[in-house]
Amino acid sequence: RKPLHKETVYGKVNIKTNYGKTISIGNAIENVDLIIDLDIKKIIKDKLQALNNDVAATKKYFKENPILHNDNKIDKVNVYEWVSGTASRVALNDSFTATKIKESVTDTAIQKILLNHLKKYENKIDEKGKEIPAPLLAFSSEGIEDMNKNIFTLNNGRKHQPIFKVRVYEAGNRFVVGEKGNKKDKFVEAAKGTNLYFAVYQDENGKRNYDTIALNIVIERLKQGLTPVPEKANNTLLFWLSPNDLVYVPTTEERENGNAIDLKNLNAEQIGRIYKMVSFSTYQGFFIKHDIANSIYNKMEYSALNKMEKTIDGIMIKEFCIKLKVDRLGNL
């Protein structure tokens, strides 16, 4: 039994982001509100209004009468881009740098208040003459209290509710909870320890590649009566591994001649090349020798994680391993 997802539920948001996307003036006229440059936006908006919001006529006008800047014709402009993501409310803390505020806080009015507040704490020096990071002071409990006392001034003379939490946007690998009711608007992310399948693929050139299959994808495929692990374009699915599965790492000679492995009569040296999968993350697979119950010297014998990607003699396990099927009596 595994948790399907983490407890935090996120809402879907669409926000305008400035990633430096550039489009032609003609295309910008169709989405004039996304133009970043305020002067150019005003020129186009005024002309649109004068031409009764006739987009075709406005395009024709600016084709014949291009906008000039320092005697240079402007035919392209930078625009905001709508990006879909998920958001949740989080408490203000000292991780909110100017960059994080601009890129992740969804409310632009709150962005301005936080940035104005942050500026008050820039270039502060401690007793040793070192500069104190502005967020450390600005978003401490005292700093947040000071911000809410002066929020009217920070908001350019407009009233605003006190700010203790902000809605933060994140682009991530989150999935929708369900399909009916309000569940279709709720997003969650996979919980730690729920990666159940490590897929091993092989491309046309015989090179292996790997992927970790998220629990929600496995469940959806099983509901549809499919195998838990999906196929991949231009690749053959060799096998998939789960924690506690056993693999055998063949020698170079055995790899060249697969029939040389007699699983019913393995010698001691061959048994020493059986490994147990412990865990995996994205494209990494971690193993331990099958006869190891626990390390004697913690975090030293194999790695700081007490597991390894390579065999004792330095062979990358996932690149050459063969999955072993074992019955309840231990027969291979």
Side-chain angles (χ1 to χ4, degrees), residues 159-188:
K159 290 183 179 179
H160 198 286
Q161 292 293 322
I163 301 169
F164 297 98
K165 289 186 174 183
V166 292
R167 204 163 184 233
V168 174
Y169 157 85
E170 281 184 64
N173 189 23
R174 298 189 176 117
F175 57 94
V176 68
V177 172
E179 298 172 358
K180 298 179 181 178
N182 64 3
K183 288 185 175 66
K184 66 181 183 297
D185 299 317
K186 294 180 177 180
F187 288 76
V188 290

